[in-house]
Amino acid sequence: MKATLQKLTPVRAGAEMLLTILFTGAVPRTHTYRVPREAYDEAGAPAEDEVLSDEALSLLTEKEDARLAYARAVKILAAGDNTRAALLRKLTERGFSRTAAESAVARLSDEGYIKEEEMLLRQLAIYAKRSWGPKKILPTLLGKGFSREAIRRAMERAKEEGVYDADEVRAALLAALPSDDENARRAWLYKHGF
């Protein structure tokens, strides 16, 4: 991600600087930051149309970007559940630094807004209704950003709580198949992820 200082305006008799920065990436964005003069000077007092180094950008935007990333993450979560990995990806795709995105995701997770285990249990209940087996479930959940360990723990909890039991799903699939042909039974199970 490249960051270019587009406009520089001193405010409050030069005690603060308004910096309009263009971020170019997958989703370009422009944002205006109000930073103390000391932070601006510490960042090397960049001029207009100057491409900012990573260090200068961090000094100038770190606090504001963390706040903005958090606000955007809240909006994303308001639209629907996301895993930590998916939320991190969405924030970085929208031009936030990895540091700001990780900070927002960690904060939301600590505050209890990202509940991956509950999301997994809801998904497993859906997969139980669809009669999916573990070989179909695992790649689907990994693709959604869940870790193998989280999936394993959720499968154990789902079995304990009666949400999803692979053995019961397998038995129901076999009971629904009228054929006693072993190849047909194997193909039927394979189709459903067993």
Side-chain angles (χ1 to χ4, degrees):
M1 175 177 67
K2 185 171 101 174
T4 307
L5 178 60
Q6 286 189 315
K7 188 176 179 185
L8 173 64
T9 310
V11 292
R12 295 189 54 217
E16 294 181 335
M17 305 296 282
L18 283 180
L19 309 172
T20 303
I21 300 175
L22 170 66
F23 297 92
T24 52
V27 179
R29 70 179 175 98
T30 301
H31 188 73
T32 301
Y33 296 89
R34 180 184 290 256
V35 299
R37 180 66 187 232
E38 299 81 36
Y40 174 73
D41 290 338
E42 189 179 340
E48 288 184 356
D49 298 323
E50 185 176 328
V51 174
L52 301 171
S53 68
D54 289 341
E55 183 181 343
L57 182 63
S58 177
L59 288 169
L60 296 170
T61 65
E62 187 173 1
K63 288 181 182 174
E64 178 71 0
D65 266 353
R67 185 188 67 76
L68 292 171
Y70 178 82
R72 177 56 68 106
V74 168
K75 287 182 180 179
I76 292 169
L77 287 176
D81 284 336
N82 279 266
T83 63
R84 286 189 274 287
L87 189 57
L88 182 63
R89 178 184 49 79
K90 288 177 182 180
L91 289 171
T92 54
E93 284 175 354
R94 285 167 172 80
F96 291 102
S97 70
R98 182 133 185 116
T99 304
E102 286 173 348
S103 171
V105 170
R107 182 176 165 194
L108 284 164
S109 185
D110 291 344
E111 292 172 349
Y113 292 108
I114 302 174
K115 299 177 181 175
E116 289 188 355
E117 192 169 329
E118 290 177 16
M119 291 167 49
L120 278 166
L121 288 175
R122 284 193 304 271
Q123 286 299 137
L124 289 171
I126 291 168
Y127 300 150
K129 289 179 184 174
R130 293 180 183 170
S131 299
W132 282 18
K135 290 180 183 175
K136 199 168 185 177
I137 290 173
L138 185 62
T140 303
L141 293 176
L142 289 172
K144 291 178 182 260
F146 294 104
S147 69
R148 285 185 186 274
E149 180 58 25
I151 296 168
R152 185 194 61 74
R153 283 192 316 266
M155 294 282 278
E156 288 174 0
R157 183 173 165 200
K159 186 173 184 173
E160 290 170 7
E161 295 179 8
V163 174
Y164 178 87
D165 184 344
D167 295 332
E168 288 178 6
V169 172
R170 186 176 195 275
L173 282 170
L174 289 174
L177 188 64
S179 174
D180 285 335
D181 178 18
E182 191 58 37
N183 288 332
R185 294 168 71 81
R186 194 172 313 124
W188 181 248
L189 289 174
Y190 179 79
K191 176 182 173 186
H192 286 88
F194 286 94

